[in-house]
Each structure stands twice: as structure tokens, then as C-alpha cells.
Amino acid sequence: MAEAHEAVAFSFSVGHEGFNVDVSYDVFKALFYAGYRSWKLRCRRTLNSLYNSLYPGHPSRGIACCGVVAGLYFKGYDPSFHIIDWLESNIFRRYLQPRNGKILACIVFGGGGYILFIQLRQYTLKKLFSYHGWMYQEHGKNIGLVPKIWSVLVKLCVGRNPSLFSCQNFLPSLPLPSLDETLRRYLRSVRPLYDDNEYQRMEKLAEEFKQTIGRKLQRYLWLKWIISTNYVSDWWEKFIYLRGRSPIMVNSNFYGLDAIYIRPTTIQTARAANLTCAAFRYRTELDHENIKPLMIQKFVPLCSSQYERQFNTVRIPGKETDKIIHYADSHHVAVYHKGRWYKVFMFYKDNLLQPCELQLQLDEIIRDTTPPNYGEEHLAALTAGERPLWAEARETYFSSGVNRYSLEAIEKAAFVLILDDEDFEIGTSMTGKLDDYACAILHGKAYNRWFDKSFNFIVSRNAVFGFNVEHSWADAPITGHLAEYVLSEDIMNYGYDALGNTCGTPRFTALKPIKLKWNIPESCNLMIEKSLVQATKVYNDVDLHIYVQDSYGKGFMKKHRLSPDAYIQMSLQLAHYRDSGHFNLTYEASMTRLFRDGRTETVRSCSIESSHWVKAMEDPTVSKVERIKLLRAACDHHQLQYRDAMSGKGIDRHLFCLYVVSKYLNLDSPFLHQVLQEPWKLSTSQTATTYDDKRLTKLMSQKPDLAEKMALDRLKNIAAAGGGFGPTPASYEDRYPQFNRKKKGIKAGGGFGPVAADGYGVSYIITSEDLIFFHISSNKSSAETDSKRFGQRIQQAMQDMRELLESESKSASSSKNEKKISTVVPSTDQPA
């Protein structure tokens, strides 16, 4: 196994015979190619910046414009109305010959005119994208005149083939809602939570706030809105994420799981190599900006700024606040296995390693029997415990020497790869093993994940994949995009041989993995163990359960003309009311990426309409017709809230920023204090499919049985080769009985820890027409919560809602049949 000194380019020693110099030419070459690659990357980014600044135009069109202007001018047609002559005579004549001056004047006029034209298009698009009336159009109904005109104008102005960051210049700023409107929406949202006396108290506090300091705070916030691209995002990152002093494990980081219907191999290093190489290919696509920005309705772009810090990023602890460091480039990954940390280079002579070449390095790590250095095995527990403790340890023991070098190898890595020493089980069966797998990805053992890195790829001993993500730098859809890409590349591009190893033949022998060295004194190890005790207490309290809803899904919901997301939110309201006995403040995350640097906004799912429907469901005297009417009203109101949140009319981010301003001005507000202290007893989020890979979509939609055949053929080849790992084809089919169904999605989603100590965190993903995963978290220490019990509540709520809507269908069908009979069968009091 290579040691750290192998990464040193040269060393010398002094002896009796003079100087002795040892030179590592391989490392010199590696450094040369690393510098060469970084130079190419900087050039690429410069060209991309030029392209993006001219989008929706193109530099080639600007050059063509200059050529047309020059051609017309020298043909005797002056398109500049003598501006070119003025430029040549007053500016360029003193430096150039008359003809050359005229050519340069033509270029300046043509280029300047083209830039002004592009600026006008960008300004027009920014104004057009500030309109969100199209979002409020009901599905299935005729589109109004204004949205039609708007869509035509957008299509005329927007360019073709945008790169990832091309649309950033004409995304509008997040609008600042009026104070009166936010207070009105807030009071309406909390009406179901309070009795009459408490609600009147909140009304009084809100009115007092508006009449005293509210207007002043709004004016200060308006100034911030004027000078910033987004008046929320920087404060949200700083105060919600980076200022938090509690452990980020469970409390902030979130997780994602593997695909559920495809198990391409059970060899750990092969799967890890494919996924890691796929991630680096994705990073290359990001660096080159070849990935297209996500679009709504195929022409409304979403903000792409969060992609910038996906790789080469780390959260650095501080005593009072953390900070995010993003490195321009990285040529390696940090790998953890059985208590040891390694640095693995991903490039050789400016070439990205192939999976078969990377697997050799990972195999060498697996075979390594070197024991961990003192304190190394539990070192990552520092990132899982209290932040001030980690900040103190980092400043004291990791600011110089070998510890600094090794820590930088982890922090400057593209990401962290964990080769776990446990087996994970995944499928659609609600077993304890599935819950254990989710817990392992969320928190592991607290010391075998580096929670400060932007993300950790985790591969189990039996090659099941998962990822853990630090939340401050971006939101879940960004990492979901990456996960879908690498999973599709793993299956559709790289693949595996008959034995489950990576395909291909190594082209060369790359640099060996470098085992990182540590010099951990006893005092530092005590801090590591103290942090581990803190983290262990946190994760031992986690009650995580995955409920799989497979009796029906979004197909049934859409059949009854209900939004799947609104439908699921109503089921959660009914389930939570039955679980707790009263209504609670409910958080659903909505995105604001229609605006520049936008992140999220809150949708308050517990509303007047939803509470009326829930009460009706629990009241046996209310008819089914009335319940259905109330359900549709609740779903419609929830959709309206969601659209308002997406279009910048949310409640909570505005109130949060007003609270921050009040703290800067040292002004106390009982109203804002009450608002910010209200606990989110139910925190929810939908995991959406954000990346539409054409090959994977084609595979799953046109050839639904091909994925099954790939997996079963792989297992047959393993059995024929005498492999002793993985289930047999028969047992695979038994384990996943739904494998043969036609699926458009294969992700199991992911989840997060509970927000409130006595509340639930629920993340759900609508995987297919008849499959939904609910990731439910709570705290074992709370007597009010139980994740498995809440999963049963959700199951019962979904069943009750299905029976309710089926009764409507049966009633409509019966009425239709009666009407048909009455029109066909003649009346008995008339002659036949």
C-alpha cells in the first residue's frame, strides 16, 4: 500500500558522501497534467462566460453582424446613419490609416449594436419571466388570451440550446411581498391551530407589529431587495444553516437511496468504481456547462446557481458560524474503509480513469490490512458532533503538519466515497432491514461519514448504493439530478461483465491509493470521543421508518382529477390529526428557482380548507358527497398556496427576513418572536424526478422488461460462473414481486431527520403510477411520536380516501346507467 511520502515530488538527505536527492518523476508528471487540466478548465469557463453573457444570442452571430455592417458600409449603404464616419474621424483616425479605422469603426458599431440588441432581449425576457399567470391556468381548460400572448413572446425572445448558466442573466429577482398581504396570509394559515382567544391574541400582535416597527423593517428589507439578486438566500444560508451549532448529522444533512428494481452487481468495488467515474463525468458536463437548465413548460428556466458548489466543496466549522469553501478543481476523491482514510487520484496524464482502472485501486484498499492510525477510525465523528467542539479541535490539532495535509486531502476532494463494511437490503417490502439501510445512509455510525463534505457516496459490502448530503450549499433536487445521472450511467453506459466486475481492460497502471497519515495526540482523541458520544446520542434517538404505498398511486389520483401532491398532503393531514388528536403547523418545501438564486419557500399545508375536510372525515354525520366536496376544495387551496409560494408570494421567508432585520436593528417584536418560535410538528417534502435521461426513459417506457432481463441475465451468468454471491434468479423474483410491472421511475427517494423534537419529518417520492415511498422520521425520546404508527396512519388515510373517491365513481356510474336505461326502455304508461 502506498504511503503519504509517495506523493512528494522530491526529497533530499545529507550524508557523508554529500547530498542524496530522490525524485519522483511520476508525481512530477501528475502535477504537470493537473496544472494543464486546470488551465484548460479556466479557458473553458472563460469562453462559457462570454457565451452566457450574450445569450440568447451567440458570439458567431455577433461576428456575422459586424461583417454585415462592414459589407453594407463599403458597398455604399451606411446602416449607422454616419456614426461609423464619426467614430473613424474622431477616435480611430489619429491611430490608424483611414481604411483600417473605418473597418474598426464598423466592428465597434456592429458589435455594440448587437450587444445592445441582446441586452434588450435579456431585459424583455426578465420582464416576461416576472409574469406567473400561466401557473394559475387550470389543467384541461382553455388557456386565456394573456398567457397565450405571453408564451408567444417568450418563444420569440428566448434562444436555443442554452447551456447550464445561460439563462441566469434574465431570471427575475424574487419579489418582496407587501407587509399587509403577508400578515393577512399568515393569520389565515394559523386559524385552524388556535382557538378563538389565542387567534384574537395573534391578530392583536400582528396589528401591533404593523402599526409600530413593521413598516420600518419593511423599508429596510426593501433596500436589501434593491441591492441584492435575492433578498432571502444569503441570510437563509447564513442563519438557518451555517449559524447552527448543533450536530448537522440528522439535524441538517439528508440522504438518498439506491434504485429499487435493478441490482446490476454485488461486487462492492465494481459498483463504487462505476458510480464514481459516472460522477466525474457528470462533473465534467457541469464544468463544460453541457447540461441543460431545467425548464418548466419546456421554455421557462429554473435557476442553476446551486450547481456551482456541488463538487469540490466542504463546510468548515467555526466557533460562532461555519463557512462554505468551494475549490475550483479537484483531481481525487477521499475514500474511507474500515477506519482508514485514503486519497485516490482520478486522473492519469490528464485522462479520467476508466471504471476498470479505478476498481484496481479500490480493490487494493479492500485488501489492505494496515491498521488505522491512533484516533483515525473515529476521526469523522468530529463532523457529526457539536460544531464548536469541531472548530476548536480543527484549529488546535489540524492547522499544520501531517494532520493538515491529510485533512486537506479530504476537504479538497471532489467528494467522499465510503466503502462500508456492512450489507444493505433494499426493495419494496417494509422490513426492518429496509429501515436499517435508510438509517445507515442517514447517519451510519457517526464516525464513518464525513458530514462536512458536499456529499458522500456510500457503497455497502453487497454493492447497494446511497448518498448523504450536506444541506447548506444546495437543496435536494440538485443532488437528485446527480443521483439519477450516475444511476443511469451505471446501468446504461458502463455496465458489468459476467462476474459482476467492471467492463474493459486497464490502459495503464495509475498511481496507487495514498493512505493518509495522522498524528492524533491523546488530548485530540478525547475530543474525538466526546464528539462521538454527542453524535451517538443523536442517532440513537432517531426513529426512521419507510412506508411503501403500493396499493395505488398517482394514476388513481389523476383519474379523479386531483393533484397527486395535494392529495398526499391531505392524506398526511388526516393521518397526523388521527395520530396527535389536533391540528399542527405543517411545512411543505416548495422551490423558488423561477427567480435568480432562489431556493425554497414554505407551503403551510394545514389550512382552513384542509381542517374542514379532516373534521368531516372524522364526523360520521357528514355525507360522502360533502366530504368529497371538501376534499376537492382543500386540494384546490393547497395547489393555490403552492403556486403562490413558487411565484414569490410565500409567508415564511418574508417574515424570517423581517426578523433578521429586527435583530440587526436591535428591535424586539413579540409578534415575530412568536412566529419564529412556532414548532413545525409535521415537516414534509416531495422528492421529484428532476433529470430526464433519454436512454433510461426509453428503456423504462418502451422496453419495460429489459431492465429485468439485464438483472436476471447477470445473475444467471454469475451462477454459471460459480459465483457465490447474490440471489439466484428465482429468489430475485420472489424478493421483488413487482419487478415485472411497467415502471417509469426506479428511485426509492430519500429523507431527513425530524425538525421538531416531538414531530415528524416525512419525505415522499411518487415513483410510478402505483408506488409511493414515505420516509418517516421522528425521535424515540418523544412519547407523542412513533414512525411505524404514523406509517399505519398514512396507510389508513390513503385507504379511506380511495374508498371515498371510489364511492363517487360508483355513484356516477350508477346514475349514468339509470339515465341510459331511461332513454332506451319505453315508459309503461305508453304503448310500445
Side-chain angles (χ1 to χ4, degrees), residues 749-812:
F752 50 88
V755 175
D758 54 352
Y760 292 105
V762 180
S763 176
Y764 54 92
I765 180 171
I766 305 172
T767 304
S768 67
E769 295 295 317
D770 57 358
L771 187 62
I772 305 171
F773 285 84
F774 290 87
H775 298 250
I776 307 165
S777 65
S778 61
N779 288 318
K780 296 176 182 177
S781 58
S782 173
E784 300 179 22
T785 58
D786 184 295
S787 294
K788 289 185 178 179
R789 184 186 71 205
F790 192 58
Q792 294 170 357
R793 301 288 192 192
I794 296 174
Q795 181 182 23
Q796 186 61 51
M798 296 284 283
Q799 181 178 336
D800 292 346
M801 294 173 73
R802 180 180 188 176
E803 292 174 355
L804 180 66
L805 293 172
E806 284 179 340
S807 68
E808 179 188 42
S809 300
K810 291 178 181 178
S811 176

Side-chain angles (χ1 to χ4, degrees), residues 5 21 150 164 179 200 218 294 301 361 368 372 429 447 485 498 525 527 533 546 665 672 777 813:
H5 64 75
V21 180
W150 170 83
L164 182 61
L179 183 62
Q200 289 174 5
Q218 179 77 354
L294 296 179
Q361 298 196 65
D368 184 23
S429 299
Y447 60 80
Y485 180 94
N525 192 58
M527 299 179 77
V533 170
I546 299 178
L665 299 177
L672 291 177
S777 65
S813 178

Side-chain angles (χ1 to χ4, degrees), residues 610-752:
S610 67
S611 64
H612 287 168
W613 171 72
V614 170
K615 289 178 180 178
M617 290 294 291
E618 298 300 282
D619 186 352
T621 64
V622 179
S623 66
K624 290 184 177 180
V625 174
E626 182 65 18
R627 289 175 178 177
I628 293 172
K629 179 181 177 181
L630 292 172
L631 173 60
R632 293 191 179 279
C635 289
D636 290 343
H637 180 72
H638 182 82
Q639 282 188 282
L640 177 63
Q641 283 195 99
Y642 205 99
R643 289 163 178 160
D644 285 344
M646 287 183 63
S647 56
K649 301 174 186 175
I651 301 169
D652 291 273
R653 300 301 181 269
H654 185 200
L655 294 176
F656 161 75
C657 289
L658 290 173
Y659 179 78
V660 174
V661 174
S662 73
K663 290 302 178 183
Y664 275 126
L665 299 177
N666 292 320
L667 297 175
D668 185 52
S669 169
F671 170 73
L672 291 177
H673 181 77
Q674 174 71 24
V675 171
L676 271 296
Q677 293 301 315
E678 291 171 339
W680 298 99
K681 292 291 187 72
L682 181 59
S683 181
T684 70
S685 178
Q686 180 185 174
T687 303
T689 301
T690 56
Y691 176 68
D692 184 19
D693 185 84
K694 295 180 179 179
R695 292 168 300 164
L696 188 58
T697 301
K698 184 176 180 180
L699 170 72
M700 301 308 294
S701 61
Q702 297 182 5
K703 301 178 181 180
D705 296 328
L706 179 56
E708 175 189 18
K709 183 178 183 299
M710 289 170 58
L712 297 182
D713 285 349
R714 183 79 62 215
L715 294 168
K716 290 176 182 177
N717 291 333
I718 292 172
F725 48 88
T728 63
S731 66
Y732 195 96
E733 291 172 327
D734 291 341
R735 182 175 299 182
Y736 305 108
Q738 296 182 346
F739 195 93
N740 287 309
R741 297 183 184 180
K742 183 178 180 180
K743 304 290 180 184
K744 290 185 179 179
I746 56 175
K747 290 199 306 179
F752 50 88

Side-chain angles (χ1 to χ4, degrees), residues 296-315:
I296 299 179
Q297 304 290 347
K298 297 183 179 181
F299 57 85
V300 181
L302 299 183
C303 179
S304 300
S305 62
Q306 295 182 48
Y307 288 96
E308 295 177 358
R309 298 185 294 181
Q310 186 159 27
F311 291 86
N312 328 323
T313 299
V314 67
R315 176 172 175 163

Side-chain angles (χ1 to χ4, degrees), residues 30 376 378 396 538 646 673:
E376 180 182 13
H378 294 168
T396 305
V538 172
M646 287 183 63
H673 181 77

Side-chain angles (χ1 to χ4, degrees), residues 139-151:
H139 293 289
K141 293 189 177 182
N142 293 330
I143 301 177
L145 179 60
V146 174
K148 283 183 178 179
I149 296 174
W150 170 83
S151 64

